[in-house]
Amino acid sequence: MRKTFYIETFGCQMNVHDSEKVAGTLVGSGYRAVESAEEAELVLYNTCSIREKAAQKVFSRLRNFRKEQAKGKLFGVLGCVGQQEGEKIFDAAPHVSLVVGSASYGRLPELLRRLEQGERRVTGLDLDTDETFETEFTQRGNPFRAYITIIEGCDKHCAYCVVPFTRGPERSRTSESVVAEARRIADAGYTEIQLLGQNVNSYRDPAARVTFAELLAAVAEVPGIRRVRFTTSHPRDFTREIVEAMESHPALCNHVHLPVQSGSSEVLRRMARDYTREQYLERIGWMRAAKRPISITTDIIVGFPGETPADFEQTVTLLDEVGYDLVFSFQYSPRPNTPSLAMEDVVPEAEKNLRLRVLQERQKQIQLGRYQDFVGNVEEVLVEGHARENQWKGRTEQNIVLNFTVAEGGAAVQAGDYWKARVTHAGPNSLVGEAEGGPVARAAIRGAAGSPFAILQ
Ligand code: 5AD
Ligand code: SF4
């Protein structure tokens, strides 16, 4: 009988993909995935500590399982909270017997063996590594979008951020192994790839002189791959070469996520972001001048220590100046080990909350205006499944949700297909349209997003 496991994932896409690789490693070590924690002998939480709320969620989850249900099960805490709290997790949650940070995932088979041999407190917490986590098997959870990690960790040390402490130093994979994985993914029938990294554009091939832009081009040229996305980009390392690669390779999706964090150069300086508002806008200018329109999205933190009303106003005006298609905005959350923890002029919670609401309201208006400009356009979408009866949910190349209908008598739609749709309506968060013609390309992989994992080598 195979041992059973269940993984619950919190946090970013890097974590989602780490879980896919951890699941692959477990399957390779003789485990079998089950659909709920209740059924599993080994329950793993892959955790996020980017903001305090995210970290708290993990502890409340762990508490849920403390008593009866925990009997006979093994629990493990993976990822950023595991790395950050280390052995303290054993005190807070005595039923946990495995704590592993992402920089130690390469040691998982060994750590699992020790667990199986009866050790009750197993940890993998070394941060100082030059290894990346490459797995023989990756158990992919999304049948349409395949993730590939190209760079792990972070050396940027922004003043507010835990990532350098939870994910370790920056280390890139060889371009050869990235392209080989892209080919395997294409052979398995995937048409969309998303390259992942804390700062993808800080990528440096450890074996050859391949730049990030050249890597993008190489992945875009893999036969069978129709869409290539990449996230997240850091403004400091964002080059014109990336925009040029997007211009000359249609498979590179016309979308860039470029977190700005603040529109005030003074706040950016204190955040140690290493660019000014003007330098950021220069990069936006390159994209706005590109031969095909590029959709731009961002992350913003409001209420960083010392952020004055005038600084905040600069962030609001930046929204107008750039015209983002989506903004992820957060109240500043003080995190352990980070330099901003000791900074003065803390912005009160109520004020942070107010600023967040003002920012989100402004962005909603901007977004509505931008989405309305799509009305009348014909966009190609990758179909993910049903939005509701008779309506399909797809994503445009810009990653915008477009729900569409097919006229009576039209061809049957299947998840994973590409269709063209004419946009008829726009809301602040999605577009609505009608199919034009039949499918442009059909899915090679069947099933709806979230269906049982596809196993890939
Ligand atoms: N407080 C609030 N938001 C944060 N982020 C990172 N660290 C913090 C923090 N301490 C946000 C940034 C980053 C996104 C992933 O999370 O905007 O780009
Ligand atoms: Fe959260 Fe950052 Fe860790 Fe991702 S890398 S899980 S965002 S703390």
Side-chain angles (χ1 to χ4, degrees):
M1 260 308 271
R2 295 185 135 208
K3 298 150 282 184
T4 53
F5 76 96
Y6 177 77
I7 304 189
E8 189 162 302
T9 306
F10 302 79
C12 61
Q13 278 155 323
M14 293 285 286
N15 264 19
V16 170
H17 184 43
D18 279 347
S19 288
E20 295 179 334
K21 291 195 278 186
V22 168
T25 305
L26 283 160
V27 170
S29 306
Y31 285 74
R32 177 170 63 84
V34 289
E35 303 229 332
S36 72
E38 283 72 17
E39 295 165 66
E41 289 158 87
L42 174 63
V43 179
L44 299 172
Y45 293 104
N46 189 3
T47 63
C48 173
S49 65
I50 194 93
R51 284 167 293 274
E52 201 184 340
K53 257 192 211 151
Q56 279 168 354
K57 220 191 281 175
V58 174
F59 283 103
S60 84
R61 210 41 159 199
L62 278 171
R63 276 194 299 274
N64 289 348
F65 262 100
R66 199 170 246 169
K67 299 185 195 84
E68 279 306 296
Q69 305 106 300
K71 280 192 189 138
K73 287 188 198 300
L74 290 174
F75 286 84
V77 176
L78 311 180
C80 294
V81 176
Q83 185 67 48
Q84 189 180 291
E85 301 295 319
E87 302 198 348
K88 280 188 273 171
I89 303 245
F90 296 135
D91 303 328
H95 56 298
V96 171
S97 35
L98 176 73
V99 178
V100 190
S102 67
S104 301
Y105 287 161
R107 290 178 52 211
L108 265 176
E110 168 217 328
L111 301 175
L112 288 167
R113 262 196 308 279
R114 282 170 45 196
L115 204 62
E116 287 160 15
Q117 282 160 4
E119 259 189 72
R120 278 298 155 261
R121 300 234 148 147
V122 178
T123 56
L125 296 167
D126 303 332
L127 259 191
D128 193 15
T129 177
D130 52 9
E131 278 179 30
T132 51
F133 182 37
E134 294 184 35
T135 49
E136 210 172 314
F137 299 105
T138 298
Q139 198 165 5
R140 298 184 182 275
N142 183 329
F144 313 121
R145 183 179 288 185
Y147 297 118
I148 304 183
T149 311
I150 63 164
I151 179 169
E152 294 187 16
C154 181
D155 285 344
K156 291 281 190 292
H157 289 278
C158 301
Y160 50 80
C161 190
V162 284
V163 171
F165 307 99
T166 59
R167 287 190 163 271
E170 205 164 86
R171 50 219 191 266
S172 297
R173 280 173 68 183
T174 64
S175 56
E176 203 188 343
S177 74
V178 171
V179 173
E181 188 173 353
R183 290 214 181 92
R184 286 200 302 272
I185 281 168
D187 289 346
Y190 282 90
T191 56
E192 180 172 310
I193 283 177
Q194 180 153 8
L195 303 179
L196 292 180
Q198 230 61 54
N199 295 305
V200 274
N201 56 334
S202 309
Y203 176 83
R204 256 195 230 132
D205 191 335
R209 282 226 164 138
V210 174
T211 65
F212 174 60
E214 286 163 349
L215 179 67
L216 282 180
V219 175
E221 280 166 17
V222 170
I225 294 302
R226 200 173 175 90
R227 287 184 169 182
V228 180
R229 304 184 180 282
F230 54 94
T231 196
T232 291
S233 300
H234 191 292
R236 200 193 71 183
D237 298 333
F238 192 83
T239 59
R240 253 179 213 276
E241 220 193 332
I242 298 171
V243 180
E244 284 159 11
M246 294 173 81
E247 285 178 326
S248 42
H249 292 85
L252 293 177
C253 288
N254 56 353
H255 168 217
V256 173
H257 185 63
L258 198 65
V260 66
Q261 313 300 359
S262 169
S264 153
S265 293
E266 174 51 24
V267 173
L268 290 171
R269 189 185 63 74
R270 276 183 294 111
M271 286 178 163
R273 288 290 288 174
D274 252 352
Y275 55 84
T276 61
R277 176 190 176 101
E278 289 68 34
Q279 286 166 330
Y280 182 85
L281 285 172
E282 188 186 15
R283 282 143 184 78
I284 299 296
W286 299 339
M287 286 188 268
R288 291 292 180 232
K291 288 186 197 125
R292 57 185 177 137
I294 295 178
S295 173
I296 305 169
T297 57
T298 202
D299 293 346
I300 287 175
I301 297 175
V302 300
F304 187 74
E307 184 189 73
T308 63
D311 288 323
F312 173 63
E313 189 50 34
Q314 296 233 311
T315 301
V316 178
T317 60
L318 187 88
L319 295 184
D320 291 303
E321 223 165 300
V322 176
Y324 291 110
D325 283 335
L326 194 65
V327 173
F328 298 94
S329 47
F330 312 99
Q331 294 183 43
Y332 168 72
S333 166
R335 305 308 295 129
N337 304 317
T338 59
S340 62
L341 199 56
M343 287 184 187
E344 290 175 357
D345 297 326
V346 167
V347 178
E349 282 304 306
E351 179 61 25
K352 281 196 243 179
N353 194 268
L354 184 68
R355 288 183 194 178
L356 188 68
R357 276 187 287 136
V358 169
L359 187 97
Q360 290 179 341
E361 190 47 44
R362 182 73 206 114
Q363 177 55 26
K364 193 172 160 193
Q365 299 308 322
I366 293 171
Q367 223 162 285
L368 185 60
R370 289 195 58 86
Y371 286 16
Q372 275 166 347
D373 287 345
F374 280 91
V375 174
N377 289 4
V378 175
E379 299 289 335
E380 185 174 298
V381 295
L382 167 56
V383 182
E384 291 179 357
H386 271 291
R388 58 173 76 103
E389 220 194 328
N390 296 329
Q391 196 185 41
W392 293 89
K393 180 187 170 191
R395 274 182 195 273
T396 69
E397 205 189 320
Q398 298 93 335
N399 209 30
I400 297 173
V401 171
L402 195 168
N403 296 327
F404 70 98
T405 46
V406 182
E408 223 164 290
V413 184
Q414 272 171 311
D417 287 350
Y418 289 84
W419 282 67
K420 294 238 188 249
R422 181 174 299 279
V423 181
T424 52
H425 297 90
N429 295 308
S430 61
L431 306 171
V432 177
E434 287 161 8
E436 289 238 322
V440 185
R442 302 231 77 157
I445 295 180
R446 292 285 172 223
S451 69
F453 285 170
I455 301 185
L456 258 195
Q457 293 212 337

